C-alpha cells in the first residue's frame, strides 16, 4: 500500500517570483517544480502562474509551445492559481491590454490591467480572505500589490474571496475562485504568509488529481 502522495504542482517559470512560489508550495505540502516545456506541464497535477508582464508572458507561452497545451489542460479541469499577471492570463476578458496578447480563458472574469493607476501603482494592505481569515484566530492577510490588475466583473459562478478594504479602490475585487481556478491580484509569495498557497494545495488535493 502506498501513502497518498503530495500533489505535484508546477510553477510556470517564464517570469516573476518563480523561486518564491516554489518555496511557498513546498512549505504548503506540495511537490513543486518549474515548468518551461510541454513535458514538464504534462508531469504537473496543477500549475501556478506567477506575476510578470502578461503581454510578454502571452508571447513567451507561444514561443515555447506551451500556450495550446496549457489551454487544453485548463479546459480539462487542471487546477491553477494565477497571481497578478497570472490572474490576467487566466481570465476570459482583459481590459487595457494589447490587441495581440492572448489569454487562457479559464476564469470567467473581466480583469483590468494596471487598474490601480500611477498614484497607487504599488501598495500593501491587510485584507479579509474568505475561507482563510474568517476562521477563528486567523489574522488578516497582508497583501502586496505591484502594478496589479483588479477584477472588474465576474460571472455568477465565480466566488469573490477578497476585496480592497479601504482607500480609493475600496471594494474592488482582488481574489476570486471558479471551480479549480484561483486568482489573486496580489503577491502572497513575497510575504512569508503561506495561507494562500495552502488554500491552493487544499484545492488541488480536493480536486482528486
Ligand atoms: N506584478 C505583476 O504581475 C504586474 C502585472 C502587469 N502589470 C501586467 O499587466 O501583466
Amino acid at each position: 500500500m502506498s501513502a497518498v502522495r503530495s500533489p505535484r504542482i508546477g510553477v510556470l517559470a517564464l517570469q516573476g517570483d518563480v523561486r518564491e512560489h516554489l518555496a511557498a508550495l513546498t512549505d504548503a505540502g506540495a511537490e513543486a517544480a518549474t515548468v518551461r516545456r510541454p513535458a514538464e506541464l504534462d508531469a504537473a497535477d496543477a500549475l501556478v502562474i506567477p506575476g510578470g508582464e502578461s503581454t510578454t508572458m502571452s508571447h513567451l507561452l507561444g514561443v515555447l509551445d506551451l500556450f495550446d497545451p496549457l489551454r487544453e489542460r485548463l479546459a480539462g479541469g487542471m487546477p491553477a492559481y494565477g497571481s497578478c499577471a497570472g490572474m490576467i492570463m487566466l481570465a476570459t476578458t482583459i481590459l487595457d491590454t494589447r490587441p495581440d496578447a492572448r489569454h487562457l480563458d479559464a476564469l470567467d472574469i473581466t480583469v483590468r490591467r494596471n487598474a490601480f493607476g500611477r498614484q497607487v501603482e504599488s501598495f500593501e494592505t491587510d485584507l479579509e480572505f474568505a475561507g482563510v481569515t474568517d476562521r477563528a484566530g486567523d489574522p488578516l492577510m497582508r497583501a502586496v500589490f505591484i502594478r496589479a490588475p483588479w477584477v472588474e466583473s465576474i460571472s455568477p459562478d465565480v466566488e469573490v474571496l477578497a476585496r480592497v478594504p479601504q482607500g480609493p479602490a475600496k471594494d474592488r475585487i482582488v481574489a476570486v475562485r471558479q471551480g479549480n481556478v484561483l486568482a489573486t491580484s496580489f503577491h502572497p509569495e513575497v510575504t512569508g504568509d503561506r495561507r494562500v498557497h495552502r488554500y491552493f494545495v487544499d484545492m488541488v488535493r480536493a480536486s482528486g488529481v
Side-chain angles (χ1 to χ4, degrees):
M1 284 233 304
S2 66
V4 177
R5 71 170 175 83
S6 301
R8 291 196 190 105
I9 303 186
V11 177
L12 187 65
L14 308 181
Q15 290 191 307
D17 294 334
V18 174
R19 218 177 315 164
E20 289 80 356
H21 278 291
L22 291 170
L25 290 166
T26 307
D27 289 350
E31 253 181 57
T34 54
V35 168
R36 266 189 218 93
R37 298 179 315 148
E40 293 164 341
L41 178 62
D42 290 346
D45 299 321
L47 188 71
V48 170
I49 306 179
E53 179 52 53
S54 52
T55 51
T56 307
M57 214 183 288
S58 148
H59 173 70
L60 291 174
L61 281 172
V63 169
L64 296 171
D65 288 328
L66 277 169
F67 194 91
D68 292 330
L70 179 49
R71 240 181 115 100
E72 269 164 42
R73 286 293 303 277
L74 290 165
M78 175 181 71
Y81 165 44
S83 158
C84 203
M87 168 190 266
I88 298 169
M89 292 306 301
L90 288 169
T92 50
T93 309
I94 325 294
L95 304 176
D96 294 339
T97 191
R98 286 174 28 170
D100 60 338
R102 296 195 296 165
H103 46 93
L104 296 161
D105 280 331
L107 183 56
D108 205 355
I109 58 175
T110 297
V111 160
R112 185 175 294 281
R113 280 181 73 221
N114 303 328
F116 292 91
R118 272 165 205 261
Q119 278 167 0
V120 285
E121 247 180 19
S122 299
F123 67 103
E124 299 185 22
T125 190
D126 291 324
L127 47 72
E128 298 273 6
F129 194 102
V132 173
T133 61
D134 44 7
R135 285 190 299 226
D138 264 339
L140 294 179
M141 184 178 289
R142 190 79 179 156
V144 177
F145 295 83
I146 305 164
R147 285 171 50 76
W150 68 43
V151 180
E152 191 109 352
S153 62
I154 59 172
S155 85
D157 41 354
V158 174
E159 187 186 351
V160 174
L161 299 178
R163 293 176 187 268
V164 176
Q166 77 244 321
K170 185 173 184 319
D171 292 334
R172 288 293 182 179
I173 300 169
V174 291
V176 289
R177 174 180 179 176
Q178 182 178 22
N180 284 340
V181 181
L182 174 70
T184 62
S185 303
F186 53 90
H187 291 268
E189 75 281 4
V190 299
T191 60
D193 182 339
R194 300 314 194 203
R195 289 179 292 172
V196 171
H197 290 83
R198 252 186 266 134
Y199 182 98
F200 181 56
V201 172
D202 287 347
M203 271 175 63
V204 177
R205 285 188 201 280
S207 77
V209 292

